[in-house]
Amino acid sequence: HHRDAQGRSAFRVFAPAKSSLAVVLVDSGERFALQPEADGHWQGDLPGLPAGTLYWIEVDGRALLIGQQGETLALLEAPKKAG
């Protein structure tokens, strides 16, 4: 993600075959749904996140990557929830 001209944190992810994407803030658990675009990208703007803020990218209900301001920290597959 990056900061846009208004100081908001802008996210854009290419995931054409997915049905939902969201940004989840690690510390607060807040979840922000991303919106699909016709070209397979998903996008959304959040209030400006402070440097060092950790977040998950949730794909189809599963956390698949963790990042912080301006960089990807790890690709992962979170355990599936029971039930």
Side-chain angles (χ1 to χ4, degrees), residues 21-78:
L21 267 74
V23 174
V24 182
L25 303 182
V26 172
D27 287 343
S28 68
E30 287 181 273
R31 185 179 181 279
F32 299 89
L34 300 181
Q35 302 303 311
E37 297 178 336
D39 66 357
H41 284 89
W42 294 73
Q43 69 84 32
D45 298 324
L46 283 62
L49 299 176
T53 300
L54 295 174
Y55 58 86
W56 297 98
I57 299 293
E58 185 182 271
V59 180
D60 290 344
R62 294 167 53 195
L64 294 180
L65 99 91
I66 188 168
Q68 73 180 37
Q69 178 82 25
E71 65 181 300
T72 299
L73 298 178
L75 295 172
L76 56 93
E77 177 115 10

